[in-house]
Amino acid sequence: MGAMSASQGIRAGARLTAGTQAGSAVALGGMLALAAGMGIGRFVYAPILPDMAFALRVDASAAGLIASANFLGYLAGAILVALSRLPGSRRGWFLAGLTVSAASTAAMAAASTMVPFLLLRFIGGVASACVLVLGSALVLDHLAAVQRQHRAAVHFAGVGVGIAISSVLVDLLQAANAGWRWEWLASGAVSAFALPLAAWLMPRATTSPPATAASRTHHRLPPGIGALTLCHGLFGFGYVVTATFLVGVARSTLHSHDLEAVVWLAVGLAAAPSTALWGRIGISIGPLPAYAVACLVEAAGVAVGGVWPSAAGALIAAVLLGGTFMGITALGFSAARALAPQQQHRSFAVITAGFGLGQILGPSVAGLLLDRTQSFAAPSLLAAAAVAIAAAMTLGVSCRAG
């Protein structure tokens, strides 16, 4: 009996060790994927924009339109994942998204006019939605299967890691006077390095729970998902104003290249650990109340970025933006998973679609206000109000869910 118990204990320990190692590898693969497909593929536009706008004489309205094209693609990608029965595997579409994201980022170097810029950023947006939604579903499913859900913070930290990498990369190229085309090309090349690593580390077979009758027939998602989607849309509208224009405003109003680089680096460095922090808060008070608190913190940062045009104001805005936006995204996914556990990737896609719709409107509206008022205050205050409303609405959803 003793020998048998010892043998069983050894086997259980081996399984536990294997699960820990597998969970760590998958979380790392997810981190690399989000660093490439989101941190670089989506957000590198912000640090490149000032050089690109100066060289091509792009005004704020046109810059906002290019950003909105990326977000329209993001919305289209989320809808595609939510409503379509995609042929093949989720993993295959996820890896295809990573490939297209890197290629479309590099291809921006060859464009010079609005039409190709809009088209490439649209394609990149579709790809980034596939990376985020399908990659997160793969990672979270696997981590749940091996009981390592806490490692999800490593996965979501990838966005901040990618932003920090892109900030350093673009700053080095700007210091070398390489020009905006080399900045796009190098960013795409760095993203491409993540593809083989992600393909090696991500799970080859889905570990999602067996499909139920509800999931197979695509029954309606619970009402709370609709309200959460609206909150996510307001959050997307608000955060993206600062995410798109903060670096450009730092250059135009403060005339400091060094500060410009530090501001975007601060966003990335604050974003990397933020999902772990907000995840702990979510465990303590619940994902929806934590979502509301994070939105209020972000609203303060968005407002500061507009009403305090100084080095201190820009850095505070950067830290509060970076310290919340991925935490809010992860908390939204946690809340959606809790509200619709049998339709996880569909609920992820639906709230991502709401987020994408808000992002489409944000840069265009902010660009118009910026051109008309020649001040970042009006668009920032409008954006902060949207995020604050999202906080209030989330508390309402939390009360009804409780």
Side-chain angles (χ1 to χ4, degrees), residues 48-249:
I48 294 177
L49 176 59
D51 278 354
M52 183 174 150
F54 177 79
L56 300 178
R57 301 293 187 267
V58 174
D59 62 18
S61 297
L65 188 61
I66 295 171
S68 291
N70 182 251
F71 304 141
L72 179 61
Y74 191 77
L75 173 62
I79 292 173
L80 176 71
V81 174
L83 301 182
S84 302
R85 293 186 176 181
L86 299 174
S89 67
R90 290 189 300 179
R91 186 174 183 275
W93 280 91
F94 158 74
L95 293 176
L98 266 182
T99 304
V100 172
S101 176
S104 61
T105 299
M108 286 287 287
S112 297
T113 57
M114 283 296 290
V115 172
F117 283 144
L118 295 174
L119 181 60
L120 286 169
R121 292 309 284 161
F122 176 86
I123 292 171
V126 174
S128 64
C130 290
V131 171
L132 176 64
V133 176
L134 296 177
S136 295
L138 284 168
V139 170
L140 296 182
D141 278 350
H142 184 87
L143 294 179
V146 298
Q147 299 182 354
R148 293 292 179 272
Q149 293 93 326
H150 63 282
R151 297 193 186 278
V154 175
H155 165 65
F156 287 109
V159 178
V161 170
I163 289 174
I165 290 171
S166 68
S167 174
V168 173
L169 176 64
V170 171
D171 185 48
L172 289 173
L173 291 170
Q174 288 176 347
N177 296 315
W180 65 272
R181 294 186 190 276
W182 280 105
E183 292 165 18
W184 280 112
L185 190 61
S187 298
V190 171
S191 295
F193 281 119
L195 180 59
L197 293 172
W200 176 46
L201 293 170
M202 293 292 280
R204 293 189 174 277
T206 179
T207 55
S208 54
T212 63
S215 64
R216 284 194 298 267
T217 56
H218 292 280
H219 284 181
R220 291 181 180 178
L221 290 165
I225 294 294
L228 182 61
T229 299
L230 180 56
C231 294
H232 230 45
L234 289 167
F235 154 55
F237 177 93
Y239 107 92
V240 79
V241 170
T242 299
T244 301
F245 292 108
L246 182 62
V247 175
V249 169

Side-chain angles (χ1 to χ4, degrees), residues 267-298:
V267 172
L269 293 178
S274 67
T275 50
L277 170 64
W278 288 107
R280 291 193 183 96
I281 296 173
I283 291 171
S284 177
I285 66 175
L288 287 171
Y291 185 108
V293 173
C295 281
L296 289 175
V297 173
E298 183 168 293

